[in-house]
Amino acid sequence: MHSGCADTEYLGILQNLGFIYHIDDVSRDEPFTVMVKGKPFAVVPYTIRNNDIVRFDSPAIANAAYLQDLKDDFDVLYAESASRRRMMSISTHDRISGIPGRVKLIEEFIKYAQKQKGVRFMRKDEIARWALSAPNILTRAQHDQSEAKLNEMNSHPG
């Protein structure tokens, strides 16, 4: 998928198999729901920018620079969280980030983020369950409408 939310046929197959969420989505920075066969289905996106495959492949980035990027992203999202829900996704793979220096940088980032009030670390299945039960979670249609308004405002600066 990688470009946005999967079609409802694909999500229907996942739902039939007992899944309650889908993660192969980079269309937004927070979880949302879509209706599949009359039932809400969670979409828990991830970001390409914080994926170790992208960051340590070509062109490679130094561990210290990646750690600083993670901290910078976190700081912006944490500040934004004062007025809206925010989520930061970091994708790691054992064959890439499982080496000692990269394990150390992830540990340093976790300690950094844990110092901030209200920060929670959750697995994707936990985020999906939260999204399906929490009030005021955006649906795909609501998010698309708000994005369209934002894009319109940005194209006509006042």
Side-chain angles (χ1 to χ4, degrees), residues 27-152:
S27 66
R28 39 192 63 85
D29 285 335
E30 61 185 284
F32 62 98
T33 61
V34 295
M35 293 303 288
V36 178
K37 298 181 182 178
K39 292 173 46 179
F41 192 85
V43 179
V44 183
Y46 71 96
T47 59
I48 293 174
R49 72 181 176 274
N50 292 330
N51 186 319
D52 64 356
I53 291 174
V54 175
R55 300 306 296 269
F56 290 120
D57 192 13
S58 178
I61 187 170
N63 290 348
Y66 186 45
L67 175 60
Q68 189 59 54
D69 284 351
L70 292 175
K71 287 179 177 180
D72 291 346
D73 279 4
F74 174 84
D75 290 344
V76 170
L77 292 170
Y78 189 78
E80 289 176 358
S81 75
S83 61
R84 66 182 287 190
R85 287 185 288 255
R86 302 308 294 150
M87 177 182 91
M88 182 174 178
S89 175
I90 302 170
S91 300
T92 61
H93 304 82
D94 60 347
R95 67 191 182 281
I96 299 170
S97 288
I99 62 174
R102 293 182 186 154
V103 169
K104 179 182 174 188
L105 88 82
I106 295 297
E107 181 181 21
E108 286 181 39
F109 173 74
I110 290 171
K111 287 178 181 178
Y112 176 81
Q114 285 176 328
K115 291 178 184 176
Q116 301 301 321
K117 182 179 177 185
V119 172
R120 290 187 59 199
F121 287 81
M122 300 169 73
R123 295 185 320 258
K124 297 248 180 175
D125 64 312
E126 294 171 323
I127 295 168
R129 284 182 180 76
W130 173 83
L132 290 169
S133 65
N136 303 320
I137 293 293
L138 289 179
T139 64
R140 180 180 182 184
Q142 291 168 324
H143 187 275
D144 290 348
Q145 288 172 353
S146 66
E147 285 290 308
K149 285 182 185 178
L150 183 61
N151 288 337
E152 184 177 319

Side-chain angles (χ1 to χ4, degrees), residues 1 6-22 34-37 39 41:
M1 298 295 133
D7 65 40
T8 53
E9 182 179 341
Y10 174 71
L11 297 180
I13 292 169
L14 291 175
Q15 189 179 63
N16 287 342
L17 292 170
F19 290 92
I20 62 166
Y21 68 102
H22 158 68
V34 295
M35 293 303 288
V36 178
K37 298 181 182 178
K39 292 173 46 179
F41 192 85

